[in-house]
Amino acid sequence: MTTPTPSPSLSTPPAPSPAPLRLGVAGLGTVGAGLLRLLQREGDLLAARTGRGFEVVAVSARDRSRDRGVPLTGLAWEEDPVALAHRPDVDVVVELMGGAEGPARALVEAALRAGKAVVTANKALLALHGTELAALSARHNAPLLYEAAVAGGIPAINLLRSGLAGDRVTRVGGILNGTCNYILTEMDRSGRPFDEVLKEAQAKGYAEADPTTDIGGWDAAHKLDILASLAFRPLTFESLQVRGIEAITPQDLRFARALGYRIRLLGMAQEVPARSPQAGHPEATEETRIVAWVGPCLVPSSSRLAHVNGVFNAVVAEGAACGPLVISGAGAGEGPTASAVAGDLVALARGAALPVWGVNPPPAPVAGGSVEELESAFYLRLLVRDQPGVIAAVGKALACEGISVHLVSQHALEASEASETTDQAGTDIPQTWMTVVTHPAPGHAMARATTGLEALDCILQAPLVLKIEPLA
Amino acid sequence: MTTPTPSPSLSTPPAPSPAPLRLGVAGLGTVGAGLLRLLQREGDLLAARTGRGFEVVAVSARDRSRDRGVPLTGLAWEEDPVALAHRPDVDVVVELMGGAEGPARALVEAALRAGKAVVTANKALLALHGTELAALSARHNAPLLYEAAVAGGIPAINLLRSGLAGDRVTRVGGILNGTCNYILTEMDRSGRPFDEVLKEAQAKGYAEADPTTDIGGWDAAHKLDILASLAFRPLTFESLQVRGIEAITPQDLRFARALGYRIRLLGMAQEVPARSPQAGHPEATEETRIVAWVGPCLVPSSSRLAHVNGVFNAVVAEGAACGPLVISGAGAGEGPTASAVAGDLVALARGAALPVWGVNPPPAPVAGGSVEELESAFYLRLLVRDQPGVIAAVGKALACEGISVHLVSQHALEASEASETTDQAGTDIPQTWMTVVTHPAPGHAMARATTGLEALDCILQAPLVLKIEPLA
């Protein structure tokens, strides 16, 4: 019989210290000012939850004179944010400046080196320098928390760390960029083209003046890299495959809808089994790999993701035992992001911070596999000559790669889509849209088939090929 | 200047003890056997996450000879589950028997008294005896965790405890009963009546032989009571207002759909401001109250809850700063429930268990306010005489209580709904369905208006009145 031993670590936390946790906040934009407001408004509630309150002791921002609607009297002001890391009266550095390099990176590194806990909302910093930061955090025993870096007010990091703590995560991702989701759903709703809706999004403050990070899929990729690194193992950012939404037209949204789908920019990561051991080497160790990609896809109209509209985000996390979970909410904004930062502060005050990637020492990062290893159905949008034999030619190009077709349909060009294509003699070529939905096929077969299609005489434009994700 | 003090509690957990956490599991039905399978399958993963593994040392169940598909060799067998609480080699008692009284209650109480941590999936036990159990847990410094008690695989408890730890929860609830959601969505899909679909659900194992707990709303109410107690403060179960789905007909689902809604059984709890201080007593302290109710409602077809179909559950949690979050997934079943239990075990192994209702000592329970205090739009389904003047009479009965009408429509009875109503002379009364959608109005006004409607000669059946919940 096992000797009975007491298990003191199971007990609820001991009576907490009354000393408030002292914060140094760098960055007083929307989120920084929002955090100060939240701490002021909910101070008593958060103190009751943690047994100790929070006290902002020092701040740093670009413009000292700007009115942010929160009183800064009594707070120390640091011109150089990095100075927050060296103040003896700061327990926790809260980094809300953004940017993968420069002062944000310098501050976070300095704070971890000084053994101070760090809370950040900086997705690019984590995605690009997570490996070094996780090592610093482990070496100096300084927690680094980043709930606000992914999907704003949706506690996605907490879902992976605690909610699914008892399960093996098999897939993670979702609708991770509100700007793209706004643009796609607004194009769908109004039938207006990409450029026009992007301009409107910029006017409304949903898109940056330089929108490349958002519409190119890079912001979603930063978040996906963080989710995948936590759910599986650290993933080098360079190995993610990223496509933006620039090529999506109102026609695609219309065609997708008619086929029973919606188009969403998704970022998804999953473990895939390694290729089977080679013949003659049956003993070769099977290792799973992670495939992570960002790109516009078709999701079934009946799926939960199809009903996430506008600037909202949704995170999908699938457990081997619990199946797929979908959590949706506000992916950005003052309140949601401040709420996420405050959640991390509560975790710190409770002494419940976990290692950056879940385990210490942090595992070395690996490169993700190719999205072409994945099998899925595909949607193709082709501009073709309106003449007999085209369907046969397209079908043959797909069949050559073993891809079978589920559905083909043709759609006349609308007046606004008037052809500008002429043949060598300058005569207008009669043309039509053709959409194809395939049965599930490996991505590499689809890539080869696309090359085959591009070579066809009857195809007048590079085909648009989108994955169809059968997400619940 | 504040004296700098070190903050040791912020650091990541120290190198953990290698001793596995020793479990005594009571109940080896679907969930119990599923937990044993999960611990076996994911043992290494969970050990890596927590720094210590889990070891099942003793079990207790009704039938020792039954083959459960998991090997029980080497495990101690206790005929009396309560004996698990007294075994010195058990660190954590896992209660998966169910039932608010009897052996489940006796075991949980004995384990807490013995200072052992308890993990349970028992919603009725928590809802009905949460106050006593929270007191026992606090007194004996023995954690009591219950993630699996609410919404199966959806980590709703963790969402409130950790995900929204930095925010004030303003509303919580959702689709909390898979049986009712299956019945309602299947009635909607197929047009079949309640009784027929219930029988099918029983045949499929989605409903119990005695379905009262599910279809009467009591199971959802147990879960809602737990969510509300954690989000706000402990709530006496008796004060919840509970309606089941028995009165919903295929016609209601059809009418709701035509009006742009779906019908779902919801359980919702929210804080409402106290009535204004009485005149002459402006200094009276304003206290918020909690209103918690379960009942079938209309939700907009475009809302996220309208797309939660079949046996799935969805939890809505609204933070003052982060806005509404919706998380959906499997609400029951072997894998999802085992995943939730294992998540609690991981929290214990990490030393991250929190007090039962979030704070110690546990607050005294309060009675919830009346659902009639809440304002909402309403749907009315009326069987009326098919004659001029009926709309005027209905409109007047509503106007008398200050309720204005948004929409009225009439729907001819279908052949299958052939009238059985005759007047005193035995002649068939010509009749028709009338549906009314009101503008938002206080619940007590609607209750009085309903009494008024019932008294009308032209109303041939007690009106069905459902709240319309404008949930995102």
Side-chain angles (χ1 to χ4, degrees):
Chain A
M1 186 179 142
T2 321
T3 318
T5 50
S7 293
S9 69
L10 299 188
S11 60
T12 45
S17 143
L21 212 48
R22 297 163 305 172
L23 316 180
V25 178
L28 290 176
T30 311
V31 178
L35 176 68
L36 265 51
R37 263 190 289 276
L38 190 156
L39 292 176
Q40 205 168 50
R41 200 175 56 229
E42 309 293 1
D44 293 346
L45 179 74
L46 301 182
R49 278 188 193 154
T50 56
R52 66 195 295 190
F54 299 101
E55 186 190 348
V56 180
V57 294
V59 295
S60 176
R62 268 191 223 141
D63 180 1
R64 190 165 185 172
S65 60
R66 204 179 121 209
D67 179 13
R68 296 169 172 89
V70 276
L72 302 176
T73 24
L75 307 187
W77 181 279
E78 296 285 358
E79 290 298 331
D80 177 8
V82 178
L84 294 173
H86 303 301
R87 290 184 67 98
D89 61 349
V90 164
D91 302 316
V92 183
V93 167
V94 183
E95 187 279 299
L96 302 172
M97 295 182 290
E101 310 297 339
R105 185 178 179 188
L107 169 60
V108 170
E109 289 183 353
L112 294 175
R113 282 209 177 87
K116 287 195 200 299
V118 174
V119 175
T120 179
N122 194 326
K123 60 214 90 163
L125 180 70
L126 259 290
L128 299 179
H129 305 298
T131 301
E132 305 87 303
L133 297 178
L136 276 180
S137 166
R139 190 177 320 133
H140 299 279
N141 200 21
L144 170 58
L145 303 186
Y146 49 87
E147 179 64 74
V150 179
I154 300 175
I157 302 300
N158 178 67
L159 180 67
L160 291 177
R161 276 188 190 288
S162 313
L164 288 172
D167 208 343
R168 176 180 295 277
V169 178
T170 52
R171 201 147 67 136
V172 70
I175 298 174
L176 302 174
N177 182 272
T179 307
C180 288
N181 209 54
Y182 173 82
I183 292 176
L184 289 174
T185 55
E186 187 59 23
M187 285 171 70
D188 193 13
R189 196 193 61 76
S190 66
R192 288 181 298 159
F194 176 79
D195 290 338
E196 202 178 311
V197 176
L198 170 60
K199 269 191 202 122
E200 184 192 83
Q202 287 170 321
K204 286 189 174 181
Y206 294 164
E208 308 277 340
D210 175 0
T212 325
T213 309
D214 287 319
I215 64 171
W218 299 105
D219 174 80
H222 289 150
K223 296 166 184 168
L224 180 68
D225 189 62
I226 295 171
L227 290 175
S229 295
L230 186 56
F232 305 115
R233 51 183 182 268
L235 200 60
T236 55
F237 184 72
E238 301 68 34
S239 65
L240 264 65
Q241 280 155 297
V242 183
R243 273 175 80 180
I245 61 166
E246 306 90 335
I248 306 298
T249 64
Q251 289 85 342
D252 291 315
L253 291 156
R254 207 171 66 227
F255 299 158
R257 194 175 267 267
L259 293 164
Y261 297 95
R262 299 285 187 280
I263 299 180
R264 293 290 183 272
L265 181 78
L266 295 185
M268 293 301 304
Q270 67 188 89
E271 270 191 332
V272 292
R275 277 162 288 246
S276 319
Q278 290 184 294
H281 300 276
E283 76 291 354
T285 317
E286 283 233 350
E287 265 188 31
T288 57
R289 278 157 308 120
I290 309 160
V291 174
W293 54 271
V294 171
C297 328
L298 276 65
V299 296
S301 300
S302 61
S303 72
R304 287 171 280 181
L305 294 184
H307 299 281
V308 177
N309 295 317
V311 293
F312 280 86
N313 279 199
V315 171
V316 179
E318 193 174 278
C322 86
L325 297 171
V326 178
I327 180 165
S328 55
E334 172 185 325
T337 312
S339 161
V341 171
D344 278 348
L345 292 173
V346 168
L348 281 173
R350 285 173 173 164
L354 291 169
V356 173
W357 300 133
V359 286
N360 267 342
V366 296
S370 162
V371 66
E372 293 189 358
E373 296 178 40
L374 301 180
E375 191 171 287
S376 72
F378 290 93
Y379 158 91
L380 288 81
R381 181 248 294 159
L382 308 167
L383 185 66
V384 300
R385 280 178 196 268
D386 192 4
Q387 67 186 31
V390 173
I391 288 187
V394 168
K396 194 177 159 198
L398 293 167
C400 278
E401 300 299 340
I403 299 170
S404 62
V405 168
H406 171 56
L407 205 140
V408 179
S409 52
Q410 296 209 13
H411 310 262
L413 271 66
E414 297 199 346
S416 61
E417 303 158 32
S419 155
E420 293 181 12
T421 316
T422 51
D423 63 16
Q424 287 168 334
T427 323
D428 271 1
I429 299 173
Q431 51 193 264
T432 181
W433 293 118
M434 177 184 287
T435 58
V436 180
V437 173
T438 75
H439 283 292
H444 54 78
M446 192 67 237
R448 286 194 304 268
T450 307
T451 311
L453 286 168
E454 277 169 355
L456 291 180
D457 225 33
C458 60
I459 305 278
L460 302 171
Q461 196 186 61
L464 179 83
V465 181
L466 302 178
K467 283 167 74 66
I468 299 180
E469 283 295 297
L471 288 167
Chain B
M1 187 177 141
T2 321
T3 318
T5 50
S7 294
S9 69
L10 299 189
S11 60
T12 46
S17 143
L21 213 46
R22 297 162 306 171
L23 317 179
V25 178
L28 291 175
T30 311
V31 178
L35 176 67
L36 265 52
R37 264 190 287 277
L38 189 156
L39 292 175
Q40 205 168 51
R41 200 174 59 231
E42 309 293 2
D44 293 348
L45 179 73
L46 300 183
R49 278 189 194 154
T50 56
R52 67 195 299 192
F54 299 100
E55 186 190 349
V56 180
V57 294
V59 294
S60 177
R62 268 192 221 139
D63 179 0
R64 192 165 183 171
S65 61
R66 202 178 123 208
D67 179 14
R68 297 170 170 89
V70 276
L72 301 177
T73 24
L75 308 187
W77 181 279
E78 296 285 0
E79 290 298 330
D80 176 8
V82 178
L84 294 172
H86 304 301
R87 290 184 66 99
D89 61 349
V90 164
D91 301 316
V92 183
V93 167
V94 183
E95 187 279 301
L96 303 172
M97 296 182 289
E101 309 296 339
R105 185 179 179 187
L107 169 59
V108 170
E109 289 182 351
L112 294 175
R113 283 209 177 87
K116 287 193 199 300
V118 174
V119 175
T120 179
N122 194 328
K123 61 213 87 161
L125 181 69
L126 259 291
L128 300 180
H129 305 298
T131 302
E132 304 87 303
L133 297 177
L136 276 179
S137 166
R139 191 177 319 136
H140 298 280
N141 200 21
L144 169 59
L145 302 185
Y146 50 88
E147 179 65 72
V150 179
I154 301 175
I157 302 300
N158 179 67
L159 180 67
L160 291 178
R161 275 188 189 290
S162 313
L164 289 172
D167 208 343
R168 176 182 296 275
V169 178
T170 51
R171 201 145 68 135
V172 69
I175 297 174
L176 302 174
N177 183 272
T179 307
C180 288
N181 209 55
Y182 173 82
I183 292 175
L184 289 174
T185 54
E186 187 58 24
M187 283 171 70
D188 192 16
R189 195 193 61 76
S190 67
R192 288 181 298 158
F194 176 79
D195 290 338
E196 201 178 312
V197 175
L198 170 60
K199 270 192 201 119
E200 184 192 86
Q202 287 170 320
K204 284 189 173 178
Y206 295 164
E208 308 278 340
D210 175 0
T212 325
T213 309
D214 289 318
I215 64 171
W218 299 104
D219 175 80
H222 290 150
K223 296 166 183 167
L224 180 67
D225 188 61
I226 295 172
L227 290 174
S229 295
L230 187 56
F232 304 114
R233 53 184 181 265
L235 201 60
T236 54
F237 184 72
E238 301 68 34
S239 66
L240 266 66
Q241 280 154 297
V242 183
R243 274 175 79 179
I245 61 165
E246 306 90 335
I248 307 298
T249 64
Q251 289 85 338
D252 291 315
L253 292 155
R254 209 173 65 227
F255 299 157
R257 194 175 266 268
L259 293 165
Y261 297 95
R262 299 286 186 280
I263 298 179
R264 293 289 183 273
L265 181 78
L266 296 185
M268 294 301 303
Q270 67 189 87
E271 271 191 331
V272 291
R275 278 163 288 243
S276 319
Q278 291 183 292
H281 299 277
E283 78 290 355
T285 317
E286 283 233 351
E287 265 189 29
T288 57
R289 277 156 310 121
I290 310 160
V291 174
W293 54 270
V294 171
C297 328
L298 276 66
V299 296
S301 299
S302 61
S303 72
R304 289 171 280 180
L305 293 185
H307 299 280
V308 176
N309 294 316
V311 294
F312 281 86
N313 281 198
V315 171
V316 179
E318 194 174 278
C322 86
L325 298 170
V326 178
I327 180 164
S328 55
E334 173 184 323
T337 313
S339 162
V341 171
D344 278 347
L345 292 174
V346 168
L348 281 173
R350 285 173 172 164
L354 292 169
V356 173
W357 299 135
V359 286
N360 266 342
V366 296
S370 161
V371 67
E372 293 188 357
E373 296 179 39
L374 301 179
E375 189 170 288
S376 73
F378 290 93
Y379 158 91
L380 287 81
R381 180 248 294 157
L382 308 168
L383 186 65
V384 301
R385 282 178 194 266
D386 192 5
Q387 66 185 32
V390 173
I391 288 188
V394 167
K396 194 179 159 197
L398 293 167
C400 278
E401 300 298 340
I403 300 170
S404 63
V405 168
H406 171 57
L407 205 140
V408 180
S409 51
Q410 297 210 13
H411 310 263
L413 270 66
E414 297 199 346
S416 61
E417 301 159 33
S419 154
E420 294 181 13
T421 315
T422 52
D423 62 17
Q424 285 169 336
T427 323
D428 271 1
I429 299 173
Q431 51 192 265
T432 183
W433 294 117
M434 178 184 288
T435 59
V436 180
V437 172
T438 74
H439 283 292
H444 54 78
M446 192 67 237
R448 284 193 305 265
T450 307
T451 311
L453 287 168
E454 277 170 355
L456 291 179
D457 224 32
C458 60
I459 304 278
L460 302 170
Q461 197 185 62
L464 180 83
V465 181
L466 302 178
K467 281 167 74 67
I468 298 181
E469 283 294 297
L471 288 165

